[in-house]
């Protein structure tokens, strides 16, 4: 696990976009795992900018999103389908057949979750999975206490997560109670992880994830078990870290700091 500390959110987004761009150079048909939420928006904006200005090409990728609310139709303003269209997909020419987001309206949710796992396998597995972290240490919607080997399934959202996400809805009552989410086991099978953590409100979760004990109560701590994980954070999020960390991926490789 390599923790990279950047000055601010913008620098985190640029470093993350550079890593994605590097992987696209070696594999244009990258299988990219995507996250929603506020954190990766800067990364997506930077990728869009690079596509327009630098000729970065995402048209051949296959994507798999981490999660979607149950009972929220794809066109709902707060669905993750809609979020991804607005923040990324509408700005580039992706093949819709290669874009995957769990369907929160599936009639048979269990069968749908199995199908989703099969699609990931059929695509050859996720090459690079983008992750955010909840203030309670969740990854995707794997809330504290989730099984560390879990697969795609329905999870009940914790009160804290519903409160945190209430900012996107008119009232707390409207915040969904359930979500379909890739499991921790599913996420851990990605060949590389790219976790982004920004802002003071995430400082304790980041400390627990990268310097705390491995525990199901902090699902993000599983990142310590991954063989190739990058954790790119800003100074505010890093304020409680004690370990020595690098300022960029290139600096880390110069100082021979290992993943
Ligand atoms: C969303 C997801 C969640 C978020 C987390 C942080 O697809 O998987 O785990 O990454 O809730 O959300 P923000 O970035 O809004 O703080």
């Amino acid at each position: 696990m390599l923790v990279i500390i950047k000055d601010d959110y913008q620098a985190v987004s640029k470093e993350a976009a550079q890593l994605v761009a590097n992987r696209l150079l070696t594999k244009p048909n990258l299988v990219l795992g995507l996250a929603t939420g506020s954190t990766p928006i800067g990364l997506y904006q930077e990728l869009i900018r690079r596509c327009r200005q630098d000729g970065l090409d995402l048209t051949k990728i296959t994507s798999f999103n981490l999660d979607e609310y149950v009972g929220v139709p794809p066109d709902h303003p707060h669905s993750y389908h809609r979020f991804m269209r607005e923040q990324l997909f509408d700005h580039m020419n992706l093949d819709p057949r290669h874009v995957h987001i769990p369907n929160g309206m599936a009639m048979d949710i269990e069968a749908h979750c199995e199908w989703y796992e099969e699609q990931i396998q059929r695509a050859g597995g996720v090459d690079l999975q983008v992750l955010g972290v909840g203030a309670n240490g969740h990854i995707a919607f794997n809330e504290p206490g989730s099984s560390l080997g879990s697969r795609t399934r329905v999870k009940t959202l914790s009160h804290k997560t519903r409160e945190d996400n209430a900012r996107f809805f008119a009232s707390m009552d409207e915040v969904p109670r359930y979500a379909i989410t890739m499991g921790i086991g599913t996420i851990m099978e990605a060949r590389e992880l790219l976790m982004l953590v920004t802002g003071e409100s995430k400082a304790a979760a980041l400390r627990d994830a990268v310097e705390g004990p491995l525990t199901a109560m902090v699902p993000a701590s599983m990142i310590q078990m991954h063989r190739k994980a990058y954790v790119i954070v800003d100074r505010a999020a890093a304020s409680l870290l004690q370990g020595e960390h690098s300022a960029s991926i290139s600096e880390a490789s110069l100082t021979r700091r290992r993943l």
Side-chain angles (χ1 to χ4, degrees):
M1 178 183 64
L2 198 54
V3 179
I4 308 287
I5 303 178
K6 308 300 290 184
D7 280 339
D8 54 24
Y9 178 78
Q10 211 194 351
V12 168
S13 305
K14 280 184 185 288
E15 184 84 6
Q18 184 61 51
L19 190 135
V20 175
N22 288 346
R23 296 301 179 270
L24 281 165
L25 271 182
T26 48
K27 189 177 179 196
N29 61 342
L30 197 70
V31 180
L32 191 56
L34 297 171
T36 56
S38 309
T39 313
I41 291 178
L43 161 65
Y44 299 154
Q45 286 173 349
E46 185 60 17
L47 289 176
I48 293 165
R49 188 194 67 73
R50 279 171 169 252
C51 287
R52 287 190 184 141
Q53 293 174 11
D54 307 341
L56 183 73
D57 182 12
L58 271 94
T59 57
K60 298 182 187 65
I61 69 161
T62 295
S63 71
F64 286 94
N65 263 78
L66 288 170
D67 40 21
E68 176 60 286
Y69 292 121
V70 169
V72 174
D75 274 331
H76 188 282
H78 302 308
S79 76
Y80 285 171
H81 279 77
R82 179 88 169 253
F83 175 98
M84 288 310 301
R85 281 208 301 275
E86 287 173 0
Q87 299 299 334
L88 190 66
F89 301 153
D90 281 355
H91 307 276
M92 48 191 57
N93 200 10
L94 299 188
D95 182 339
R97 290 169 309 175
H98 294 166
V99 168
H100 305 84
I101 306 179
N103 177 7
M105 299 300 284
M107 297 290 278
D108 182 343
I109 290 192
E110 234 173 86
H112 178 67
C113 292
E114 267 177 43
W115 174 86
Y116 202 71
E117 289 274 338
E118 278 164 25
Q119 295 311 300
I120 296 174
Q121 295 306 323
R122 282 185 62 174
V126 173
D127 290 309
L128 176 65
Q129 176 65 58
V130 176
L131 293 171
V133 177
N136 65 359
H138 71 219
I139 45 172
F141 276 132
N142 296 285
E143 298 284 25
S146 294
S147 305
L148 297 177
S150 51
R151 315 301 309 185
T152 303
R153 69 215 183 292
V154 174
K155 284 295 288 179
T156 305
L157 302 182
S158 71
H159 185 68
K160 169 76 179 135
T161 297
R162 292 186 64 238
E163 255 177 13
D164 287 348
N165 289 1
R167 66 189 192 278
F168 300 114
F169 295 84
S171 71
M172 185 71 180
D173 278 348
E174 279 188 28
V175 185
R177 290 175 187 276
Y178 305 98
I180 297 176
T181 178
M182 273 190 207
I184 300 175
T186 321
I187 293 169
M188 288 292 289
E189 279 172 12
R191 282 181 270 281
E192 291 186 287
L193 300 181
L194 172 56
M195 183 184 272
L196 308 180
V197 193
T198 58
E200 214 184 321
S201 63
K202 301 285 180 68
L206 176 65
R207 176 201 56 204
D208 294 350
V210 302
E211 293 182 349
L214 260 187
T215 166
M217 290 315 287
V218 182
S221 64
M222 271 306 273
I223 192 137
Q224 298 175 37
M225 289 291 286
H226 199 276
R227 293 170 63 173
K228 225 171 170 202
Y230 300 87
V231 184
I232 308 184
V233 308
D234 66 3
R235 291 209 177 282
S239 57
L240 299 177
L241 294 186
Q242 291 184 340
E244 244 187 71
H245 303 293
S246 304
S248 67
I249 293 172
S250 48
E251 186 210 72
S253 52
L254 280 176
T255 57
R256 297 182 180 277
R257 212 162 265 173
R258 295 275 181 243
L259 276 173

